[in-house]
Amino acid sequence: MNNEPLREELRNILNIIADLSKNNTEIDVYDHMIISRVNRPPEEVNKHLKELRLKGLIIEVFPRPDGIDFTLYRITKEGLNKL
């Protein structure tokens, strides 16, 4: 696991996901719930979510059915440890 500190905006989003999932790596969180709590433009939040995914701190839940316009995320053990 990478030991570099998280930027404040990434830590904030990771904390929100942890809160919404009750610190459980098996609970899915809707992207719109995260975006509504961050109070930033959705494009910016999505960019940060992608960065958290690339760092292995969250995962995108698959498969997503056709015609669905939301994404589900889960915090990983690494994400919880980072907090």
Side-chain angles (χ1 to χ4, degrees):
M1 181 170 89
N2 190 340
N3 287 328
E4 72 181 50
L6 281 179
R7 295 189 325 271
E8 182 178 346
E9 58 271 17
L10 294 179
R11 180 172 292 283
N12 181 38
I13 292 171
L14 194 58
N15 273 316
I16 289 168
I17 296 169
D19 181 55
L20 290 169
S21 69
K22 298 175 179 45
N23 295 319
N24 186 326
T25 60
E26 298 299 318
I27 294 179
D28 303 338
V29 178
Y30 289 98
D31 59 347
H32 67 272
M33 293 173 69
I34 301 165
I35 292 167
S36 69
R37 287 203 181 184
V38 175
N39 197 26
R40 305 291 303 166
E43 302 79 24
E44 183 178 330
V45 177
N46 285 325
K47 183 180 100 178
H48 294 319
L49 288 169
K50 181 178 180 182
E51 189 172 344
L52 288 168
R53 274 195 348 261
L54 291 173
K55 291 179 178 289
L57 302 177
I58 63 172
I59 60 170
E60 189 173 328
V61 180
F62 291 103
R64 185 168 70 181
D66 291 338
I68 298 299
D69 63 348
F70 59 82
T71 304
L72 294 170
Y73 293 98
R74 286 186 189 165
I75 194 163
T76 64
K77 289 180 184 178
E78 292 80 8
L80 289 174
N81 290 335
K82 193 69 157 175
L83 294 175

